[in-house]
Amino acid sequence: MTKHDTWVELKPGNPYEPILDLFPDGMIPMRDPFPLERVTGPDGEEVALWIVDLERLSSIQAQAMAQIIASNRGASAHEVAAEAVATGGFAMNNEWIESMKCWSEGFHRGAEMADFLDTAPPIGTPEVARAFREFYNSQYDRWIDGNEQPRPINSIDDIDPRLRTPGLEQILKMQLAENAIAIGGYSVFDVLSGRAMVDALNKIDPENQYSLVSDDDDFEDDEVYES
């Protein structure tokens, strides 16, 4: 099974607020980088669903998720948990999603979704339903039931231009730096002093030169590095 790497932040007023303290930064791990599942709502409308990634939930998080869903549905937590195991995860309505972040798998699959949207038949036609089913089955076969591995991300050029957002390059740079620090064998002092971050930034962004701002320099509170 592919290791998923998508996380979502929920909108204020969402029904999961009582348990969000159990999730780092309130971010919930998702199986897919988009709402892949579709169900029919009570008024006959199509509802898009995200699926919470069970593989990345702790037992406490999973229990809390089952309990909060059960309380909203008038079911037992055991029934909700059993359904989640049978269907591959807890379903969450797309209306509660505020933002999403991901890494290589999410960006790769996001590009596949963009390809589908660019070439899909007109909405509401039988052809688009068949096309989506083919896309859906492909996602399951390769990324959910299968073990497809995404290409690594080493720079902004490895991300499809259709998925790039303002500020993404800087976020990507910091993520790559954190990854380099994690495998770089730096000492605790190097990490705490910022030397590890500077060294990592210079490795992943050799076109610029980063250094620690000296204690004697005047700088703003949020200015840590200069290039």
Side-chain angles (χ1 to χ4, degrees), residues 8 25 27 36 42 48 55 58 61 63 87 90 94 96 100 110 120 124 127 146 152 176 184 198 206 217 219 225:
V8 299
D25 299 321
M27 302 291 286
L36 182 62
E55 296 293 324
S58 69
Q61 291 170 336
Q63 291 171 16
T87 59
F90 298 105
N94 184 56
W96 298 119
M100 180 271 285
E127 290 77 15
L176 290 171
V198 169
D217 290 335
F219 61 97
Y225 308 106

Side-chain angles (χ1 to χ4, degrees), residues 123-146:
I123 295 176
T125 63
E127 290 77 15
V128 75
R130 286 194 293 269
F132 180 77
R133 177 53 56 180
E134 291 176 0
F135 173 78
Y136 178 95
N137 290 339
S138 176
Q139 290 292 304
Y140 254 87
D141 291 343
R142 296 183 297 112
W143 297 106
I144 300 173
D145 293 334

Side-chain angles (χ1 to χ4, degrees), residues 8 37 51 69 75 83 90 111 138 152 157 165 171 190 215 220:
V8 299
E37 305 296 334
I51 301 298
I69 294 173
E83 178 182 310
F90 298 105
S138 176
D157 295 331
T165 58
I171 294 172
D190 287 338
D215 294 337
E220 300 296 328

